[in-house]
Amino acid sequence: MKIFFQAKVLIKYAVLFVLLFSGIRQVNASYVTTVDQGGGLLQADTNSPKIIHIVNFIRLLEPRDPAITEDVLYQTVVKQVELMNQYQLPGTFLLQYDALLDSRYQNFLRALPKDRFEIGGWLEVPQPLAEKAGLKWRGNARWDSRADVDFTTGYTPKEREKLIDTYMRDFKRVFGDYPKTVGCWYLDAYSINYMYRKYGIIASCNCKDQIGTDGYTLWGGYWNQAYYPSLQNAYMPAQTQKGQIPVPIFRMLGSDPIRQYDDGIGTAHQGVITLEPVYKFGGGDTTWVDWFFKTLIQGEAMAFGYAQAGQENSFTWKAMKDGLQYQFRKIAALRQTGSFQVETMVKTARWFKKQFNVTPVTSVTALTDLPEEGQKTVWLDSRFYRINLLWDSARLRIRDIHLFDETMTSPYYSRNATGSKCTLFTLPFIDGHFWSTKARSAGLVFLVKRNGIFEPMEGEQPLVTKKSKTALQISWPLKGNNGTLEIRLSERCVEAKLVDGPAAAQWKMKLIAAKKDELPFTAITPGWIKSRFLGHDYKVKAIQGHFVAGIDRNTAPADFEIVPEKGAIRLDLGDR
């Protein structure tokens, strides 16, 4: 036994040695500081677990391509399982209703070891589900991807209950119990709460943020990891236990924290830059995958770090094979070193519910970039807001701030969607995508006065440090011995101050917006900015410092500046 243990240790450190020299480092201490090529100084808290879910959802058919037969889709799932067994990786398979009724999937999935594989539900609506629930089928094929046909949002609340009851009854008949995880690209709050109360689901998942992809838009939400949704809006994180559904929703697909946000600026559609192995720039690119996993391992994540791997069978084994093989081999090696925990979704959800009564503070930190690219980013999410900081070369801007309010009811909560498009938003305070053009990027920029003129701050490598369970500090040394800009992101506040700079140094923040007609501001006073978006009123309060309004040609509030008081700015993003 002792010899066996020593052999395991030697193997573990041999794998670690290889990973160190391939650019992926295991972080063993409570805090380890590393400097990476072309990147920043990063202080990673390894007390925050880094979790990978392998989620593959299963459709019976793909009517949009006659070459993708039911057998092709089935064999894709068989190959996925073979690969997971090869590396002894656990995972979650989510079944669309038509696949649930197919005996091949039933027999194959029932035979999988229950200690490694979770079988759950994928609640898109194909023709058999609608008709068995007593509803008229409105699709153009047995499965129709249009939002008002495919998603629960296309049906009234009572119709959603019928769809869910039908799905759950047949799932239990096949597998002996109700599923603990039910996901979809988007599931509405009424359906999630109904499944929680009646069937005891523990976990759910939805799509990453995107614009126009597949006919629907999700924009401004809790950017990664997982959150408790509002009772009235499954895309909106709740601020209180009373106002939340106690089912964590995990964001899917492993989104590129630097490039995905800006993709498609100036158009009505984004591409996909994610961990999905079928995309040549993204999960199908070994350089990108190495960088993505390195970022997940080393980046400060606050409560926990997270990414979802895997692929829906609609893309077929031929398209995903190379990327998935590389990823799973990498995931298995990194799990061996302790860099990742690879879990089923239900296992992580049980841990999440024990750890957090309300949505925690999490972050995604990428202080290195792909070779020959020079950007860095920090995302922070809390139950009150999300924020994104982006460094482009030597300059910094706050690219995004969206606010969360559990009282903002989803347009699809009690009414069904009509038409092939579905849109879900939170409350914009800074929107670096919709307020930008291809020629000019929107955001809050940092300016310092030199020779009587305010110019953009320029700095060196940022240091990111977890100060507490709910506070992240960013220290950005400015060039030319002009001090350090310190930014503190906490659960509901954003603070900034310039320290160790020249005496009486003057600085400020300024909103740059290329599309003034997109701005939601209704009133800008020294102490408040009031806004209205999609009929919902909200505000941001200046606790320290004050706002100065710009005026557009129509004499309406437009852009603004934030001027520090006693050298500091502090904004409350949690007071609605």
Side-chain angles (χ1 to χ4, degrees):
M1 178 65 73
K2 183 176 180 181
I3 293 173
F4 176 73
F5 174 78
Q6 290 173 340
K8 286 183 66 179
V9 171
L10 288 172
I11 292 170
K12 174 177 178 178
Y13 282 98
V15 172
L16 175 57
F17 183 85
V18 171
L19 291 171
L20 281 169
F21 283 88
S22 67
I24 303 291
R25 306 183 191 180
Q26 182 194 12
V27 186
N28 289 315
S30 177
Y31 286 93
V32 174
T33 303
T34 61
V35 181
D36 294 296
Q37 295 178 356
L41 189 65
L42 183 144
Q43 201 169 55
D45 177 8
T46 58
N47 291 324
S48 302
K50 307 298 173 68
I51 299 169
I52 292 281
H53 288 167
I54 296 173
V55 179
N56 304 301
F57 63 85
I58 302 172
R59 295 193 175 106
L60 178 69
L61 50 87
E62 177 47 86
R64 296 171 292 187
D65 186 345
I68 302 178
T69 65
E70 292 184 17
D71 188 62
V72 167
L73 295 177
Y74 175 74
Q75 291 301 326
T76 296
V77 178
V78 171
K79 292 294 187 181
Q80 287 174 331
V81 170
E82 287 178 357
L83 189 61
M84 294 168 75
N85 282 334
Q86 179 182 345
Y87 294 108
Q88 289 295 293
L89 293 171
T92 299
F93 282 88
L94 303 178
L95 279 160
Q96 193 166 284
Y97 185 76
D98 48 8
L100 171 66
L101 298 184
D102 187 271
S103 60
R104 290 187 301 175
Y105 288 111
Q106 294 174 2
N107 296 331
F108 181 68
L109 296 175
R110 276 193 300 233
L112 296 179
K114 292 181 174 54
D115 60 336
R116 276 201 302 117
F117 291 98
E118 174 196 6
I119 311 302
W122 184 256
L123 199 55
E124 292 186 64
V125 183
Q127 184 174 0
L129 178 56
E131 291 181 343
K132 195 166 184 180
L135 306 179
K136 182 180 179 180
W137 178 240
R138 296 181 276 111
N140 295 324
R142 286 187 292 161
W143 171 66
D144 189 326
S145 63
R146 290 178 299 164
D148 58 334
V149 175
D150 191 32
F151 296 159
T152 54
T153 50
Y155 302 85
T156 67
K158 288 301 179 185
E159 288 174 335
R160 295 171 205 174
E161 291 183 8
K162 292 179 181 178
L163 292 167
I164 291 166
D165 289 342
T166 301
Y167 185 97
M168 291 295 188
R169 180 172 59 250
D170 283 333
F171 189 97
K172 186 175 183 180
R173 175 181 57 80
V174 172
F175 293 104
D177 205 350
Y178 299 123
K180 297 301 182 186
T181 295
V182 179
C184 187
W185 294 131
Y186 178 72
L187 273 173
D188 67 282
Y190 187 95
S191 296
I192 293 173
N193 196 36
Y194 182 75
M195 288 187 288
Y196 165 71
R197 290 185 291 104
K198 186 169 183 178
Y199 297 104
I201 69 165
I202 293 173
S204 188
C205 55
N206 65 14
C207 188
K208 66 173 179 63
D209 268 27
Q210 63 180 29
I211 297 170
T213 313
D214 296 326
Y216 59 100
T217 294
L218 305 172
W219 195 251
Y222 195 97
W223 192 79
N224 195 54
Q225 281 98 320
Y227 64 96
Y228 290 120
S230 161
L231 282 163
Q232 301 176 60
N233 189 337
Y235 185 61
M236 181 74 73
Q239 288 72 62
T240 65
Q241 282 187 268
K242 184 178 179 181
Q244 73 187 16
I245 304 171
V247 175
I249 296 179
F250 294 89
R251 302 305 303 272
M252 296 182 72
L253 301 181
S255 193
D256 186 316
I258 293 176
R259 280 158 285 272
Q260 179 66 65
Y261 186 94
D262 286 340
D263 192 80
I265 282 178
T267 73
H269 183 273
Q270 284 190 316
V272 178
I273 311 173
T274 70
L275 195 56
E276 293 174 272
V278 296
Y279 292 105
K280 298 306 179 185
F281 182 69
D285 183 320
T286 58
T287 300
W288 187 93
V289 170
D290 290 349
W291 167 80
F292 183 86
F293 285 153
K294 179 179 180 180
T295 295
L296 175 59
I297 293 166
Q298 294 185 342
E300 177 54 72
M302 299 296 284
F304 71 106
Y306 170 77
Q308 179 249 314
Q311 187 78 69
E312 61 199 276
N313 67 337
S314 298
F315 281 100
T316 77
W317 180 247
K318 181 180 179 181
M320 72 180 72
K321 174 184 174 182
D322 292 343
L324 210 61
Q325 287 177 336
Y326 182 82
Q327 286 186 28
F328 284 10
R329 182 168 64 249
K330 194 94 177 178
I331 289 169
L334 291 168
R335 180 184 62 171
Q336 183 69 20
T337 69
S339 300
F340 289 155
Q341 297 170 204
V342 186
E343 299 179 348
T344 60
M345 200 181 302
V346 71
K347 181 177 180 180
T348 306
R350 287 183 171 128
W351 168 83
F352 187 98
K353 288 168 68 70
K354 288 180 181 178
Q355 293 289 318
F356 311 115
N357 293 324
V358 292
T359 297
V361 178
T362 65
S363 60
V364 175
T365 306
L367 296 186
T368 63
D369 201 353
L370 292 167
E372 300 182 8
E373 298 192 32
Q375 294 185 315
K376 308 170 186 67
T377 198
V378 173
W379 287 90
L380 182 128
D381 294 280
S382 81
R383 57 194 162 121
F384 296 102
Y385 72 101
R386 80 175 193 185
I387 186 170
N388 178 237
L389 285 70
L390 181 75
W391 287 264
D392 194 347
S393 189
R395 294 184 179 181
L396 167 67
R397 68 184 162 105
I398 295 178
R399 184 166 56 168
D400 184 278
I401 300 176
H402 275 75
L403 311 179
F404 304 145
D405 189 341
E406 66 187 29
T407 68
M408 182 179 178
T409 302
S410 166
Y412 312 117
Y413 179 75
S414 58
R415 301 188 306 274
N416 59 297
T418 57
S420 60
K421 295 183 180 180
C422 181
T423 57
L424 291 148
F425 296 96
T426 61
L427 302 171
F429 182 63
I430 304 295
D431 194 317
H433 187 101
F434 281 104
W435 302 354
S436 294
T437 62
K438 291 182 179 180
R440 194 180 193 200
S441 297
L444 269 178
V445 298
F446 293 83
L447 306 175
V448 64
K449 198 169 189 179
R450 298 189 186 94
N451 301 319
I453 300 173
F454 278 99
E455 299 177 344
M457 291 182 182
E458 294 192 344
E460 308 289 349
Q461 307 296 356
L463 169 67
V464 177
T465 309
K466 178 179 177 180
K467 304 302 289 185
S468 71
K469 290 182 179 181
T470 59
L472 189 70
Q473 180 163 307
I474 300 155
S475 297
W476 185 40
L478 302 185
K479 290 186 174 181
N481 297 317
N482 285 310
T484 298
L485 182 68
E486 291 190 352
I487 301 172
R488 186 181 179 92
L489 310 175
S490 59
E491 189 171 34
R492 61 183 293 159
C493 291
V494 172
E495 306 170 55
K497 61 182 178 180
L498 186 60
V499 300
D500 300 327
Q506 296 183 51
W507 68 280
K508 62 183 179 181
M509 301 168 69
K510 180 179 176 62
L511 171 64
I512 303 297
K515 294 182 178 179
K516 299 291 182 69
D517 58 339
E518 296 276 355
L519 303 183
F521 314 127
T522 58
I524 300 176
T525 70
W528 297 90
I529 292 183
K530 295 184 178 181
S531 303
R532 185 174 181 83
F533 183 72
L534 298 179
H536 196 84
D537 295 313
Y538 55 103
K539 60 191 176 183
V540 169
K541 179 181 180 181
I543 300 173
Q544 188 172 356
H546 61 272
F547 299 111
V548 178
I551 302 296
D552 70 10
R553 62 181 180 272
N554 297 316
T555 68
D559 52 18
F560 60 84
E561 296 180 350
I562 314 175
V563 179
E565 293 176 357
K566 297 181 180 179
I569 290 169
R570 188 180 183 204
L571 305 180
D572 185 350
L573 303 180
D575 188 344
R576 299 293 171 266

